[in-house]
Amino acid sequence: MSDDESTTSGSSSSSEEENEQPKKKQRTTPIPAPLEIAPTADAAASAIQNKANAASLLTGAKSNSNRIIVLLDQARLETIKNRRGNYELLNCDDHRDLCKKKLKKDPKECRPDICHQELLALLDSPLNKSGNLQIYIRTCRNVLIELHPSVRIPRTYKRFAGLMVQLLHKMKIKAADNGTTLMKVIKNPFSQHLPVGTRVFGMSCQGTLYSPSGLAKKFVPLTPPDERDEGESQVCFVIGAMAAGHVTVEDHPYIEDMFSISEYPLSGAAAINRILGAIEHQWGIV
């Protein structure tokens, strides 16, 4: 090998050594895991689905899971035919003149948006997402509706109104993917759908005043359904979904006691949030 070749090989090896950088020491300390991993939305939905399928009236089995039952009473859900021949949900904004002249009703009473707001408050609550809530609706026309716990109500009122019109005409709403019955018109009276021994309480501004925590301690069992004996009675709350008036014992003779949640006038959604928040705190649902 010539001197030129040796010089070239020596220079190349020296340049490679210069290009080589010292490797950094890898971290050996393990990264600590989070304290608690929150379940995904799919896992939460599947948990609700499993609990609901095990004890929902929509699947044909009476409920024995000790869930909290809520009845939205006197909801203003009525359909009307417009000039184009399409059916719409009667409301005070679009049918004010029709309510006054033809139907002889006070437009202020035609408020289906109240039921919409209360449904969103119920379905968005952690109590419902944990599978511990069963919802019913009773309209001003005495139509009784049952909702599946995993149903997703539209956020906008216009889409909600279209869904209610479809439900009142077809008597049933099914999921497009798996055919699960999400909403269904069921037979009256409401009392026949309550499990045996259910304690029913009505919310009214004329009822006994309780704080949210005091209401939960007095009427709701202290332990969640998973830790409770099957023999304990379930609890049902009857909450108004109308613009004026309140729940009466005459309409629901099975009501044991009437209660109020605040000394100030509250919307139905605000009252529901106070009640469910107290129950979630008592049962440790976060």
Side-chain angles (χ1 to χ4, degrees):
M1 183 173 62
S2 63
D3 295 339
D4 296 338
E5 292 179 354
S6 62
T7 306
T8 305
S9 61
S11 61
S12 61
S13 61
S14 62
S15 61
E16 290 178 357
E17 292 178 357
E18 291 176 357
N19 292 333
E20 290 182 358
Q21 297 179 356
K23 295 182 179 181
K24 295 181 180 180
K25 294 183 178 180
Q26 297 181 353
R27 180 188 292 180
T28 57
T29 306
I31 300 175
L35 296 179
E36 183 178 358
I37 299 176
T40 62
D42 295 337
S46 62
I48 295 176
Q49 182 76 21
N50 294 335
K51 286 190 177 183
N53 289 340
S56 175
L57 301 179
L58 291 172
T59 57
K62 286 288 183 181
S63 174
N64 292 318
S65 63
N66 291 325
R67 289 179 289 180
I68 298 295
I69 302 173
V70 175
L71 171 65
L72 300 182
D73 192 34
Q74 294 296 320
R76 299 295 176 177
L77 301 178
E78 302 178 67
T79 60
I80 191 168
K81 198 173 185 179
N82 59 18
R83 297 177 180 177
R84 293 171 293 181
N86 300 325
Y87 285 95
E88 297 178 343
L89 201 62
L90 184 65
N91 64 87
C92 60
D93 294 328
D94 300 330
H95 311 105
R96 180 175 295 273
D97 295 336
L98 182 63
C99 291
K100 289 182 178 180
K101 297 178 181 179
K102 186 177 180 180
L103 301 178
K104 305 299 181 182
K105 291 183 177 182
D106 186 359
K108 296 180 181 179
E109 296 181 357
C110 301
R111 294 283 308 279
D113 58 296
I114 296 177
C115 180
H116 182 216
Q117 296 169 8
E118 293 182 355
L119 280 178
L120 289 177
L122 289 168
L123 295 173
D124 287 346
S125 65
L127 191 68
N128 178 68
K129 293 181 182 298
S130 61
N132 294 309
L133 191 63
Q134 179 67 53
I135 306 170
Y136 295 89
I137 302 173
R138 179 173 171 265
T139 71
C140 56
R141 294 294 186 92
N142 202 27
V143 177
L144 191 59
I145 303 169
E146 183 186 5
L147 279 74
H148 196 281
S150 63
V151 66
R152 299 177 65 181
I153 295 296
R155 296 284 170 178
T156 61
Y157 169 76
K158 187 175 182 180
R159 295 183 61 189
F160 168 77
L163 181 66
M164 289 297 105
V165 170
Q166 182 181 357
L167 172 64
L168 294 174
H169 284 203
K170 295 186 176 181
M171 313 295 284
K172 185 184 296 185
I173 298 293
K174 289 187 175 182
D177 51 354
N178 54 12
T180 302
T181 302
L182 300 177
M183 304 174 70
K184 181 181 179 181
V185 176
I186 57 178
K187 293 182 179 180
N188 281 295
F190 173 66
S191 57
Q192 74 175 0
H193 301 285
L194 295 175
V196 178
T198 301
R199 303 182 63 194
V200 184
F201 305 98
M203 187 176 70
S204 170
C205 58
Q206 300 178 353
T208 306
L209 180 62
Y210 292 95
S211 65
S213 58
L215 177 74
K217 291 179 181 179
K218 184 173 179 60
F219 295 146
V220 180
L222 298 177
T223 55
D226 296 339
E227 305 174 6
R228 199 186 315 158
D229 297 334
E230 294 185 358
E232 291 194 45
S233 300
Q234 287 186 242
V235 177
C236 173
F237 293 110
V238 181
I239 301 174
M242 57 285 198
H246 51 84
V247 178
T248 61
V249 181
E250 287 75 14
D251 293 336
H252 304 277
Y254 41 81
I255 291 180
E256 295 184 18
D257 193 9
M258 303 294 293
F259 69 90
S260 175
I261 201 65
S262 176
E263 58 184 4
Y264 302 102
L266 301 177
S267 65
I272 287 173
N273 287 329
R274 288 171 64 87
I275 296 172
L276 300 188
I279 298 174
E280 292 160 2
H281 178 73
Q282 181 167 295
W283 286 358
I285 300 175
V286 182

